[in-house]
Amino acid sequence: MVTLRSLNNGLPSKEEIRRAIQLIVWPPGTSNFTINPTPHGNGVKPIKNACMAVLKQTFGWQLETKITYATKSPGRVDATKALNGHLFTLEWETGNISSSHRAINELVLGLLRGVFLGSALVLPSRKLYPYLTDRVGNYEELEPYFDVWRAVNINEGFLAVFVVEHDAQDSNIARITKGTDGRALI
């Protein structure tokens, strides 16, 4: 199971997200999440994809949902679930810290414009970070900016941040496959 922290305990789909994250195991067929401690040796997308599969198959979330705001479309978000005529959205960070800032700003903008009733960002802890793709965004790098997002006047809804971390390290297990984009191969 992946360790999970949340900034907001009022999350309507918190248990669904928590369960989807807790079901991520590595290597496949085991009962916990063990990382090969090779510096920058593991990919992020297979971890994200495991969570997305559970959200879709078990809890009915939609994946890669195109979002349209009143003016421009920021593109697609990783997962959404309809709640009382609104969307709850989840982004799993697989890019660098700049990508983390863009993702959270996109979520806040959706809240401000009333498109999202709630939103969540999932990213690794600083303890997991050294073993993932070089420069992937992480909680501790983003945390100093939380006061900025807390200061945003949201009439309805909320933003939550979930942090994932490994259960154990073992240099004898296979590394998690890396993607082929950006700095993933580094």
Side-chain angles (χ1 to χ4, degrees), residues 145-154:
Y145 301 94
F146 286 176
D147 286 343
V148 172
W149 295 304
R150 282 186 185 110
V152 175
N153 186 14
I154 307 271

Side-chain angles (χ1 to χ4, degrees), residues 64-130:
E64 294 298 320
T65 307
K66 183 172 175 46
I67 301 298
T68 304
Y69 294 145
T71 55
K72 286 188 172 185
S73 171
R76 297 183 183 276
V77 293
D78 291 332
T80 56
K81 186 161 189 176
L83 297 169
N84 302 324
H86 291 86
L87 287 179
F88 185 86
T89 187
L90 179 129
E91 283 282 296
W92 186 295
E93 188 52 54
T94 60
N96 64 26
I97 193 63
S98 295
S99 176
S100 301
H101 281 274
R102 281 191 301 275
I104 207 161
N105 284 329
E106 188 176 4
L107 298 175
V108 169
L109 184 60
L111 289 165
L112 283 170
R113 295 203 175 156
V115 176
F116 304 143
L117 180 60
S119 55
L121 178 69
V122 181
L123 68 168
S125 71
R126 186 61 108 169
K127 288 180 183 177
L128 178 58
Y129 161 83

